[in-house]
Amino acid sequence: MSAGIRVAIAAAETGVEPAGVARRAGGCRALIGMSNGELRRLGVPGRFADAIRRNRSADVAAYRVRLADRGIRCFGVDEDAYPAELRDLADPPVAIYLRGEHRLPSAVRRVSVVGSRHPTDAGLRLTRELARFAAERGVEVVSGLALGIDAAAHGGALDGGRPTVAVLGCGVDVVYPRTNARLSDRVVADGVVVSEYAPGTSPAPWRFPARNRLIAALAGTLLVVEARGRSGALITADHALDLGRDVLAVPGSPAAAGAAGTNGLIKAGAGLIEDTADLAGWLDVAPPGERPLNLPAPMAAVLDAIAEGPAHTDAVVERVGMPVADVSSAVLRLELEGLVTRTRGGELIAARRAVPGRLVESAEA
């Protein structure tokens, strides 16, 4: 059973942030197996060391059942179902908690959107437009469910008909801020809420900068809309740059306080985004005026995976992280739609009109 979950249980009992400790130990399995003396030499706080010892043989299956009764899933860093993108982090969460039916598969294109909690009306409108545009073209939107730009990004993504991913600085069963309660319910219903913190964990100021590294890691591209010169959005941009992700920013008037951070990013080399056409170029999706296919999320994920390059079904299963039966069903439907073909050797190939972005015809057709 997962050593990562056992470490997470110990961390939840003591309030210790475990990611850095696990890294210094050489991983969760090594940490769980350490003797009392080794834990002391590693500098593990006494209460955390005691909790680790108590949970070396914790019943992970029973823990998962208790979480499932509350609609929560949990995966340790040492398990296949753990989001692969988070392993790019120097200190990946020892475990990840998810609330919502979306499976958070790998090999799905995502864009993270962050920005001011106190944006302008124009910033909110543009964020919602950009997020909806991305979602309509099969790109999932990741954000932090905060007030302002985050909320607009999630709302736009949901309007676009794709799951959206909300990363929290508290437990997945804690709604923060309360004013986003209705939006949180929509995200859980049509997407997923994610956290490295155990259920019931209250929000705290130091947890939000930590969660920003997850927002950066879960997507290949980060878009910043309205950010001051010193802000959480810029912390997220730093994480994205460290991870080799593309960083984009919306410019603003030099006279506007909320544009200092985004303008600074652009000066430093971030991609400039003024409209959906700019975003289409960076995401390599159908531009405005051309209509993408409206595919269910599983079919869209499988199509994206096949579009990466010819592959047999088992390779597609690895790319998307979905059950074999679900992938086979999606492949069959894609073949019937003429969006996927097979070579003589049995490899799956995306049809020309089904490249990423799923463009099939112009809007005027």
Side-chain angles (χ1 to χ4, degrees), residues 13 21 26 30-31 44 74 80 89 121 131 134 144 149 166 174-175 192 200 226 237 249 264 285 287-288 307 317 348:
E13 290 178 357
V21 177
L31 181 61
V44 176
C74 181
D80 290 342
L89 292 165
D121 289 342
I149 296 299
V174 177
V175 178
V192 65
E226 294 194 5
V285 297
V317 169
L348 299 164

Side-chain angles (χ1 to χ4, degrees), residues 107-113 126-142 157 162 218-224 245-249 271-273 275-288 292 304 307-308 354-359:
V108 172
R109 288 175 305 144
R110 300 190 183 97
V111 58
S112 292
V113 182
L126 179 60
T127 300
R128 199 171 191 104
E129 179 185 0
L130 293 170
R132 177 169 183 161
F133 174 84
E136 288 175 341
R137 279 147 178 79
V139 180
E140 291 181 1
V141 173
V142 181
R162 288 286 288 182
L218 282 171
T221 303
L222 173 73
L223 171 63
V224 184
R245 294 351 186 206
D246 290 329
V247 175
L248 316 175
L272 188 152
I273 302 296
D275 52 29
T276 54
D278 289 338
L279 186 60
W282 278 95
L283 297 181
D284 191 25
V285 297
D304 275 346
E308 293 178 15
V355 295
R358 290 169 289 286
L359 173 63

Side-chain angles (χ1 to χ4, degrees), residues 3 7 20-44 48-56:
V7 173
V21 177
R23 175 182 53 79
R24 296 200 306 274
C28 292
R29 195 174 302 278
L31 181 61
I32 284 289
M34 284 185 168
S35 66
N36 295 348
E38 288 172 326
L39 289 170
R40 284 196 301 272
R41 287 192 292 275
L42 190 65
V44 176
F48 188 32
D50 291 341
I52 288 172
R53 289 194 294 271
R54 285 197 305 273
N55 287 287
R56 280 175 176 154

Side-chain angles (χ1 to χ4, degrees), residues 4 38 42 47 94 103 173 181 230 253 265 298 329 334:
E38 288 172 326
L42 190 65
R47 67 186 188 284
V94 299
R103 308 304 296 181
D173 57 342
R230 298 180 63 184
S253 167
L265 287 173
S329 175
L334 290 168

Side-chain angles (χ1 to χ4, degrees), residues 60-153:
V60 172
Y63 180 67
R64 279 199 168 108
V65 168
R66 292 195 297 273
L67 291 177
D69 288 342
R70 301 161 61 186
I72 299 169
R73 291 170 286 144
C74 181
F75 303 109
V77 66
D78 49 344
E79 296 182 283
D80 290 342
Y82 183 92
E85 297 86 352
L86 297 183
R87 293 196 178 96
D88 292 341
L89 292 165
D91 291 337
V94 299
I96 202 78
Y97 299 86
L98 302 96
R99 182 166 170 252
E101 292 304 313
H102 185 47
R103 308 304 296 181
L104 201 62
S106 298
V108 172
R109 288 175 305 144
R110 300 190 183 97
V111 58
S112 292
V113 182
V114 296
S116 174
R117 285 177 169 79
H118 307 284
T120 63
D121 289 342
L124 288 174
R125 287 194 300 271
L126 179 60
T127 300
R128 199 171 191 104
E129 179 185 0
L130 293 170
R132 177 169 183 161
F133 174 84
E136 288 175 341
R137 279 147 178 79
V139 180
E140 291 181 1
V141 173
V142 181
S143 196
L145 203 63
L147 295 175
I149 296 299
D150 286 19

